[in-house]
Each structure stands twice: as C-alpha cells, then as structure tokens.
C-alpha cells in the first residue's frame, strides 16, 4: 500500500491561509510527487526571487553611493577621521539585518504570499 501525505485545512499552516484552502494529497514517492514538488519550487521561486533581487539591488546602490560620497569629500565635509567612515558604512548592513526581525513576526501572523506578494 502506497503511503500518502494529506495537506489541507486541518493542518495548522493551511488553516492560517483562510477559506480558500484546498486539500492536496501528496504521494510519498513517484512521478506525481515530483510534479507537485516541481510546481511548488517554481511558485516559491517566482515569489521570492524578485523580492530578494530588489534587496540585492538596494544593497549594491547603498554601497556604490557611499563609495562615491567618500570620493566626493564626505569625510572632509562630515569631519570623519580614522575608522569613522567604515563604522558609518556598517550601519547600512545592520539596517538590512534589523529589518528582518519585524518580517519574522509578521510571517507568524500572515502567510508568506501576503508579505511578499
């Protein structure tokens, strides 16, 4: 007898999704399971990759702009000395890290599709 896993409204994750939940029976192995996994990976990629690409773009813009500002005389205009410039630069990375904390709390309340899409 083939083992199957049922994913549906009775599960805690699916019940948080709301009224539009559908029950999906996933076989333990075989081509049907591989097709379901492939569709799931594609769906996750289509939702997550654009968001992550934007974060990467903003990170690159910040690093580029702060480098150009330094060449244009940022240190002289702000009276930074020694490692002060690099300390100020590290705040950009802390900002990205700190912004992930509220995202994790939001993800506990809503589904990822609401947060990302």
């Amino acid at each position: 007898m083939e083992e199957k896993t049922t994913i549906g409204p009775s599960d805690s994750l699916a019940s948080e999704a709301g009224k539009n939940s559908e029950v999906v029976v996933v076989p333990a192995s075989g081509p049907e399971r591989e097709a379901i996994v492939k569709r799931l990976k594609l769906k996750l990629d289509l939702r997550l990759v654009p968001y992550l690409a934007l974060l990467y773009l903003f990170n690159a813009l910040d690093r580029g702009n702060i480098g150009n500002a330094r060449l244009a005389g940022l240190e002289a205009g702000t009276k930074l000395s020694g490692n002060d410039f690099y300390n100020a630069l590290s705040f950009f990375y802390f900002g990205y890290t700190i912004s992930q904390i509220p995202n994790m709390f939001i993800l506990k309340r809503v589904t990822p599709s609401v947060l990302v899409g």
Side-chain angles (χ1 to χ4, degrees):
M1 183 171 170
E2 186 175 320
E3 186 178 327
K4 294 188 175 194
T5 304
T6 303
I7 300 174
S10 62
D11 294 342
S12 62
L13 290 176
S15 64
E16 291 177 10
K19 296 177 183 176
N20 296 330
S21 300
E22 82 179 62
V23 176
V24 178
V25 178
V26 182
S29 63
E32 186 180 354
R33 179 183 180 85
E34 291 172 11
I36 291 171
V37 169
K38 186 177 179 181
R39 283 195 322 259
L40 177 63
K41 286 181 181 179
L42 176 65
K43 189 174 184 178
L44 287 172
D45 285 346
L46 290 176
R47 292 191 182 223
L48 291 177
V49 169
Y51 179 70
L52 295 173
L54 276 175
L55 284 177
Y56 183 75
L57 172 71
F58 293 145
N59 185 5
L61 286 174
D62 282 344
R63 282 186 287 145
N65 286 338
I66 196 76
N68 290 335
R70 183 177 187 195
L71 291 174
L74 173 78
E75 289 175 332
T78 57
K79 298 184 174 102
L80 295 174
S81 62
N83 286 334
D84 291 342
F85 173 77
Y86 297 107
N87 291 336
L89 184 61
S90 67
F91 285 112
F92 285 107
Y93 297 105
F94 289 128
Y96 291 112
T97 304
I98 290 171
S99 69
Q100 293 304 316
I101 295 170
N103 284 341
M104 292 302 115
F105 288 118
I106 292 170
L107 276 174
K108 289 185 178 192
R109 301 281 183 223
V110 298
T111 61
S113 63
V114 171
L115 184 65
V116 176

